[in-house]
Amino acid sequence: MKIGVFDSGIGGLNVLKELINQYPKLEYLYYGDTFYLPYGEKSKEELIKLGVRIIRFFEENHVDRIVIACGTCSSLVDEYQKYTKIPIDNVIDPTVEYVKKYYQKVALLATPATIKNGIFERKLKQEGIEVYPLSCPSFVPYLEGLSEQLDIEKELKSLQNNEYEAAVLGCTHYPLLKEEIERILLVPTIDMGKVLSETIELKESNASLTVYMSKVTPLLEQNVNKILEKDIPLIEKNLPV
Ligand code: DGL
């Protein structure tokens, strides 16, 4: 089975890694849209345009299934599904199911776009869960090397006195800051990639991994190797918008 996984950049690699752990014998195609990141600051229309060209790329490569390894784009899964017959999985729905099983009150840390469109929050609230949402605009630019500024404590300050039991890492980049976030908020965090990989059912076949990025830099190469814990050659491929 061939599976296409995409995100704006390195965040989705956290999801990919969990999928590979769970299903090592699959043909994985990863697309990181590093030329256009951060997705968390884009409008719904822009995100649809960017995502649809990645879906077309996966179609050309004959994938059997697509995983949106991005919280921001997962809010738009129903929109994306209108453009293709290939089944699309997202990270929000399994996370809502997981939270519902174990928690009543959660913090939701996510990108500005995810917090603004409110879909993730609404899905949690529909299940009776109390949600403390927080947009974290500096996390992704810092993790992708676009900015050197990161004051996690300051960014999380408004959440520190609330009574939530866990914090949902509602952007797939945030597991890279998991330890600091848990140290500051004093609650466990929920990793959407872990949740997805433990619930998704895939048919194993041959093992392979190809990683495409729309813009490759030496820092990106370092980050990819660090996250995946192996030396993966990156293929630069910028898809036309
Ligand atoms: N990793 C993505 C998410 O889960 C996108 C982050 C970004 O590019 O802003 O939301």
Side-chain angles (χ1 to χ4, degrees):
M1 186 173 192
K2 204 184 233 186
I3 179 159
V5 180
F6 80 91
D7 179 40
S8 65
I10 55 171
L13 296 172
N14 294 309
V15 180
L16 177 72
K17 192 173 154 186
E18 298 294 344
L19 285 168
I20 295 175
N21 278 342
Q22 202 73 22
Y23 294 101
K25 285 197 220 133
L26 278 181
E27 291 173 70
Y28 290 98
L29 237 66
Y30 184 85
Y31 193 87
D33 206 2
T34 42
F35 190 85
Y36 289 100
L37 65 81
Y39 273 9
E41 285 162 28
K42 303 241 175 326
S43 67
K44 178 179 167 184
E45 291 68 33
E46 286 172 307
L47 290 169
I48 291 174
K49 231 189 250 170
L50 292 169
V52 168
R53 78 197 215 293
I54 302 172
I55 290 169
R56 295 284 171 257
F57 175 66
F58 286 152
E59 282 178 336
E60 284 157 23
N61 283 280
H62 308 290
V63 309
D64 303 296
R65 196 132 158 193
I66 294 172
V67 170
I68 306 180
C70 167
T72 309
C73 293
S74 287
S75 300
L76 304 173
V77 60
D78 295 340
E79 301 290 331
Y80 291 125
Q81 192 65 78
K82 289 180 193 159
Y83 291 87
T84 185
K85 290 204 172 74
I86 302 171
I88 305 183
D89 291 274
N90 75 96
V91 283
I92 292 183
D93 292 323
T95 304
V96 171
E97 283 303 306
Y98 177 86
V99 170
K100 187 172 103 180
K101 262 199 224 155
Y102 300 105
Y103 300 105
Q104 277 152 1
K105 298 176 186 182
V106 292
L108 173 63
L109 312 184
T111 63
T114 302
I115 298 300
K116 192 166 156 230
N117 77 38
I119 294 173
F120 202 159
E121 183 180 347
R122 208 160 47 241
K123 286 186 173 183
L124 286 164
K125 283 185 171 162
Q126 272 164 4
E127 300 298 338
I129 295 150
E130 208 169 300
V131 186
Y132 298 84
L134 183 72
S135 149
C136 306
S138 67
F139 287 6
V140 171
Y142 172 78
L143 291 166
E144 292 281 359
L146 299 178
S147 120
E148 280 170 19
Q149 308 292 334
L150 182 68
D151 187 342
I152 307 192
E153 209 130 346
K154 194 168 154 208
E155 195 115 335
L156 298 179
K157 204 170 171 71
S158 66
L159 274 181
Q160 268 159 288
N161 298 318
N162 289 319
E163 284 182 27
Y164 41 81
E165 304 148 317
V168 177
L169 303 178
C171 164
T172 54
H173 280 73
Y174 299 178
L176 299 169
L177 299 171
K178 175 187 158 80
E179 277 158 32
E180 291 95 317
I181 294 171
E182 289 185 346
R183 182 180 53 75
I184 295 166
L185 296 183
L186 304 171
V187 289
T189 52
I190 297 164
D191 179 330
M192 301 192 292
K194 258 203 186 107
V195 173
L196 174 83
S197 67
E198 282 166 10
T199 49
I200 196 168
E201 284 181 23
L202 301 168
K203 241 197 228 134
E204 290 199 290
S205 51
N206 305 318
S208 70
L209 171 60
T210 315
V211 179
Y212 296 92
M213 295 280 175
S214 47
K215 183 182 172 193
V216 175
T217 61
L219 175 70
L220 181 66
E221 282 172 323
Q222 262 177 40
N223 283 337
V224 173
N225 294 341
K226 202 155 94 192
I227 296 171
L228 294 180
E229 290 163 8
K230 48 185 157 196
D231 211 349
I232 302 283
L234 302 184
I235 304 172
E236 185 169 80
K237 184 161 186 66
N238 196 354
L239 305 168
V241 182

